[in-house]
Amino acid sequence: MASCTYRWHPRPTTTATTHRKMRFSILTTAIAVGASALFSIASASDAHIAKFDALAAKHKGLIDLDDQLYNEITSGPRSYSVAVLLTATAPQFSCNMCREIDPEYALVASSLQKANKGKKFFDPSEKVYLTRLDFLNGKSIFQRLQLTTAPNIYIFHPTTGDLAKTNPDEPTVHDMLHAGPTADAIVRFLSSTLKRSPITLVRPLNYAKIVTTVFALLATLTALKLSYRYLIPIIQSKRLWTGITLFLVLLFVSGHMFNQIRKTPYVVPDGNGGVSYIAGGFQNQFGMETQIVMVVYGVLAFSTVALAIQAPRMLAPQRQSVAIWVWTGVILLMFSFLMHVQKLNKDEQNTGLSSILMTFYTKNTWD
């Protein structure tokens, strides 16, 4: 009798199959929702960047903000940097620095736009927008930032990308008082803060200045042409050049270059309601002291020349004798005064002009 063998194949239950399908469906839905969210965020970011690019292109690289646009460009995830000039240019605020920095900031924005023209940013965090918010258009922003002075430049760093900061909501503030309201200072601040190469400033041609310079040059050449025959005797005058040479020699010998290098004061208060003309010590001097010494040197030079050249040419013996005594007395007086000034320097005490003359008169009268 033949035997029959039966093989039993277990079939999955309906419950297990249903669970696997549900898990697959949930996983598929989660992936789809995540991808959709990422796509929405990327689309929103691209839309924002396209909007800001259009605004920058429309206004030569500078975006003017209001409360809403400020919040839009500085809040939320951003893959770019934002520089905001917070200013107050209205006449009622009398902000001179605001009016000074406004064209300089606009120059930096236009130069940045020209530098980025046709450039593709492989890392979006390298992109930077230059914006401007006036107080009249953003009072609530000024109140939120607790600003009481203007102008200010804030830089908001990217929240994503290679250049993202750990705390991007804390802006970097430009030190306007020390750096100054110039385009060069703004470029240095942007370069050091954003770690990018300096922006090459492209200044527009000042046609008014060019025309004025050309007309001034033509007028000068015309005047020289018309007055040529009158100027030649003056230019060739030996006495003129002798006088100029002597003046320059006396000026530099008396310490003029020392004043220019050390930026010495002209005079200083003496503490008694007056001023001091002579500085104490040989390592210091005042501007007025230089002029006093220059006059003394000039009188001494003129007296020496008169005594050596003019006096011997006098034919009358009496006039010659008087001239010799007069110029000798002037030389003696001026040298004495010069030595007195040197002694005051040695005493290392600042001295006023009245004290100089009084002590000089007293010592030469009673000593």
Side-chain angles (χ1 to χ4, degrees):
M1 179 176 178
S3 62
C4 296
T5 303
Y6 295 94
R7 293 181 180 179
W8 179 73
H9 298 279
R11 305 177 73 178
T13 62
T14 304
T15 304
T17 303
T18 303
H19 286 172
R20 281 199 295 269
K21 289 182 177 180
M22 289 178 64
R23 286 196 297 268
F24 180 75
S25 177
I26 292 172
L27 181 60
T28 305
T29 304
I31 294 174
V33 170
S36 177
L38 291 175
F39 180 76
S40 299
I41 294 174
S43 300
S45 179
D46 292 341
H48 278 81
I49 290 177
K51 177 181 178 180
F52 301 145
D53 286 341
L55 290 173
K58 184 178 180 181
H59 300 286
K60 297 182 179 180
L62 183 58
I63 303 175
D64 284 307
L65 306 177
D66 53 18
D67 290 338
Q68 179 181 355
L69 194 54
Y70 174 88
N71 292 326
E72 184 178 350
I73 200 171
T74 59
S75 62
R78 57 181 180 274
S79 59
Y80 50 81
S81 301
V82 183
V84 184
L85 171 63
L86 299 142
T87 184
T89 56
Q92 61 264 33
F93 300 118
S94 301
C95 181
N96 294 326
M97 186 174 287
C98 295
R99 288 189 285 271
E100 290 177 8
I101 197 174
D102 196 66
E104 297 291 299
Y105 189 76
L107 173 63
V108 176
S110 62
S111 300
L112 178 62
Q113 183 190 34
K114 293 176 182 178
N116 292 340
K117 189 175 182 180
K119 182 179 180 181
K120 294 183 179 180
F121 291 92
F122 297 99
D123 184 2
S125 60
E126 296 180 358
K127 182 182 284 289
V128 56
Y129 293 106
L130 266 65
T131 64
R132 175 176 56 194
L133 178 63
D134 196 277
F135 176 76
L136 295 179
N137 299 327
K139 295 181 180 179
S140 63
I141 304 299
F142 275 73
Q143 293 175 358
R144 186 201 309 171
L145 298 175
Q146 299 180 351
L147 293 177
T148 57
T149 59
N152 299 280
I153 297 180
Y154 283 14
I155 289 186
F156 294 89
H157 299 276
T159 59
T160 61
D162 296 337
L163 300 179
K165 296 290 184 179
T166 55
N167 192 8
D169 292 331
E170 289 293 332
T172 305
V173 184
H174 179 39
D175 189 0
M176 192 78 65
L177 293 178
H178 292 88
T182 63
D184 295 314
I186 298 172
V187 167
R188 288 193 297 268
F189 170 62
L190 293 176
S191 302
S192 61
T193 305
L194 300 176
K195 308 301 180 184
R196 58 173 294 158
S197 57
I199 302 169
T200 302
L201 294 176
V202 182
R203 295 186 180 274
L205 290 176
N206 190 343
Y207 294 101
K209 184 177 181 180
I210 294 175
V211 172
T212 303
T213 304
V214 171
F215 273 102
L217 181 61
L218 293 176
T220 303
L221 293 176
T222 303
L224 291 175
K225 178 66 176 178
L226 296 176
S227 58
Y228 176 78
R229 59 176 180 175
Y230 303 104
L231 292 176
I232 285 298
I234 298 176
I235 295 175
Q236 295 178 347
S237 174
K238 293 183 179 180
R239 293 184 177 181
L240 173 65
W241 291 109
T242 301
I244 294 175
T245 303
L246 288 176
F247 174 78
L248 293 177
V249 169
L250 294 174
L251 181 66
F252 292 117
V253 167
S254 60
H256 175 72
M257 291 308 300
F258 180 90
N259 296 340
Q260 295 299 314
I261 296 172
R262 296 289 186 90
K263 306 297 181 183
T264 59
Y266 189 69
V267 293
V268 297
D270 61 358
N272 298 319
V275 292
S276 296
Y277 297 96
I278 305 298
F282 291 110
Q283 300 297 323
N284 302 308
Q285 68 180 19
F286 300 144
M288 186 66 180
E289 179 181 354
T290 300
Q291 297 179 1
I292 293 174
V293 173
M294 183 180 69
V295 171
V296 172
Y297 283 163
V299 174
L300 285 172
F302 183 80
S303 302
T304 303
V305 171
L307 185 62
I309 298 177
Q310 294 295 330
R313 293 179 180 179
M314 292 181 179
L315 301 179
Q318 188 176 3
R319 292 183 58 188
Q320 187 182 62
S321 178
V322 171
I324 292 174
W325 282 107
V326 168
W327 293 122
T328 303
V330 171
I331 293 174
L332 179 63
L333 183 66
M334 287 294 101
F335 262 119
S336 300
F337 182 77
L338 187 61
M339 293 299 102
H340 181 65
V341 172
Q342 295 296 324
K343 185 178 183 302
L344 295 176
N345 286 133
K346 182 181 179 181
D347 294 339
E348 296 187 357
Q349 182 178 0
N350 298 343
T351 312
L353 185 60
S354 58
S355 300
I356 299 171
L357 297 177
M358 182 62 67
T359 55
F360 175 71
Y361 173 77
T362 304
K363 291 187 70 62
N364 282 276
T365 302
W366 303 104
D367 289 357

